[in-house]
Every structure is written in structure tokens, then in C-alpha cells.
Amino acid sequence: MDERIAKFREFKKRGERISVLTAYDYPSARLLTESGVDVLLIGDSLGMVVLGYPDTTLVTMEEMLHHTRAVARGVKDGGRSPLILADLCIGSADTPAEAVHNSMLLLEAGAHAVKIEGGASHVAQIKALAEEEIPVMAHIGMQPQQVRVEGGYKIKGKTAEQARALVADARAVESAGAFGVLLELVVPEVAAEITAAVSIPTIGIGSGTDCDGQVLVLHDLVGLFPWFKPKFATQRADLAAEIRRATAEYIGATKGG
Ligand code: KIV
């Protein structure tokens, strides 16, 4: 097993929480690496917070590869070694063969592992990746690539039937060979149940505090996307305000000669 994946799995055994943040470019990857984050995720959320798309359904493999290369350069120069995880974007893993092909491209671009949206529905893809020794994390609960089909970002696990299906999803991806499972917008009690039910680490977003780790979109953490703020994200800096202030100061200084 890849040393980084073994380290990732050790966190859960030791009871140490895992910190995951998204990064999409060289400076953010380098700063977060220097700060000691455990995992950097080149999420397809880059479509929204970097490229200005309305959701993640327009992101292409070409864009994922471009940003993965930039992040890999930042990690190298940051001098530490977080796990670099890259998203398989919409349409890139519809079949096991596509999943393997596109994951190889992400690994060549500098990722150490890939993330795929889907649970029991994607067991064939996860098995194919595991057979090729490509480390894969599954993403269950709210799957943003389904946002148009579902008509919004809806909380998952509210009914007993949904909760059972989520636990089954997590068990299915673990047996298929996933090394971790991301839980998005899962009712906290259900996220806790899943975390106890599987031996692989769970990484939560908007899913309560009982997961093995937490992931946040960097822009939500540092206030760099002020036009939309998810309710569950704690903003710890206000970079948008700083950029506006510095820009106004610069414009004033320039106009004033
Ligand atoms: O694309 C992304 O950034 C994600 C989030 C859930 C963190 O998958």
C-alpha cells in the first residue's frame, strides 16, 4: 500500500482527526502545505469558486489536470507531503475503463489519489481502480455532480430508508477497495453511525463533528467567495474584504498621483 494512504488510514486507528482543505493553484497549495494540512483536495468545486461556473457539472478533465499540476508544484515547493487528492469530474468515470484512464491522467499530473462521486452505484469503478492500485476515495451523501438532477443541495439521511442506504453505500465502497469515504450534507447522527460502521476514515462536510476528519473549500474558510457562504462552514478570515480594501487604497493612491 502507498505510504501516504497507509498514513491516512493510521489516523483513524490512532483516533487522530484528519484535516482536508481544497486547493486549486500553486500559491494556495504551497501555503496550505507549509501550514501542515493533512490532505489537499483539488475538488471540482474549482468550477464554482475559481472558474465562475454555476455548479460543478461543467468542469472538464482538462481543467482538473491543469489545476492538479499547479497544486502538485505548490506541494513540492512547500517542502512537506500532504496527500494530494484529485476529483474525477462529471463524465470522467461513467465506466470502469474511463475511471481508470482518467485517474491515471490525474496521477500523472501529480495527484496521489482520486475521489469519485458515488456509492453502491460505483462499486465497479472503485473495484477497477483498486485492482490497478489507484487509491480511491468515494464521495457519498449529497453528490454535487447530481445537483441539476436533484434540483438543489439537499441534506441526506433524513429518513430511516435513506440512512440505511447511506450505511450500505459506505460498506459497499469499503468492500470495493476505497481507502476513505467523504460524507457531504449527511445528517450528523447518520454520519456518526457510518463512521462507526466502517474501518476506513470518513471525511465530513456539513455532516457534523463525529466524522474521522473534516473537509472545507478553502474559499469558504478564508472568505474568498463572499457571494455564497454555506451555512455549515466557519469562515476564519475575510480575504475578500482585504482585497477590496487594498484595491481601493491602490486605486486612490494611483489616481492621486
Ligand atoms: O469539490 C469539492 O471541493 C468537494 C467538496 C465536498 C469539498 O468535493
Side-chain angles (χ1 to χ4, degrees):
M1 188 191 297
D2 183 292
E3 197 185 297
R4 293 183 195 87
I5 303 299
K7 188 177 157 207
F8 179 86
R9 296 193 60 159
E10 278 299 315
F11 280 117
K12 180 164 183 152
K13 292 194 190 124
R14 280 204 304 276
E16 182 178 338
R17 296 292 171 94
I18 304 164
S19 58
V20 186
L21 278 172
T22 64
Y24 314 101
D25 57 20
Y26 177 90
S28 61
R30 185 165 175 176
L31 285 168
L32 300 184
T33 298
E34 288 169 0
S35 304
V37 73
D38 298 314
V39 181
L40 284 182
L41 168 66
I42 304 106
D44 58 1
S45 52
L46 74 85
M48 299 161 82
V49 299
V50 176
L51 302 177
Y53 298 149
D55 54 46
T56 63
T57 66
L58 299 172
V59 175
T60 63
M61 267 305 291
E62 202 184 317
E63 289 162 344
M64 289 307 303
L65 293 169
H66 177 76
H67 288 273
T68 300
R69 285 187 205 105
V71 167
R73 285 190 286 270
V75 169
K76 186 170 142 276
D77 293 347
R80 290 178 182 235
S81 58
L83 179 73
I84 306 177
L85 180 63
D87 265 348
L88 281 160
C89 62
I90 193 162
S92 70
D94 291 343
T95 65
E98 274 173 5
V100 169
H101 172 75
N102 286 310
S103 298
M104 297 291 262
L105 295 178
L106 289 167
L107 297 194
E108 272 163 35
H112 304 130
V114 300
K115 176 163 77 60
I116 188 169
E117 284 190 16
S121 58
H122 284 67
V123 153
Q125 284 87 330
I126 294 169
K127 274 190 181 154
L129 292 169
E131 270 160 27
E132 294 296 329
E133 296 189 8
I134 299 171
V136 55
M137 178 181 288
H139 179 152
I140 65 171
M142 170 55 207
Q143 295 165 34
Q145 290 168 16
Q146 300 301 317
V147 67
R148 294 190 186 200
V149 179
E150 296 190 0
Y153 297 91
K154 306 210 170 119
I155 296 176
K156 303 289 170 164
K158 283 182 168 173
T159 65
E161 195 188 334
Q162 269 189 16
R164 269 196 302 275
L166 283 168
V167 176
D169 272 335
R171 289 209 167 107
V173 300
E174 175 173 28
S175 319
F179 73 91
V181 58
L182 189 146
L183 309 177
E184 178 160 359
L185 292 186
V186 172
V187 169
E189 294 71 34
V190 180
E193 190 184 334
I194 294 172
T195 302
V198 294
S199 64
I200 53 176
T202 59
I203 304 295
I205 178 158
S207 301
T209 54
D210 288 328
C211 298
D212 297 307
Q214 295 288 330
V215 57
L216 261 192
V217 167
L218 175 65
H219 291 52
D220 297 335
L221 176 73
V222 300
L224 201 47
F225 199 80
W227 310 280
F228 174 73
K229 297 181 183 185
K231 283 198 202 89
F232 57 78
T234 306
Q235 187 184 319
R236 296 179 193 270
D238 193 351
L239 295 195
E242 265 301 280
I243 290 174
R244 286 175 173 145
R245 186 202 55 73
T247 307
E249 216 176 280
Y250 165 75
I251 293 171
T254 305
K255 300 275 185 199

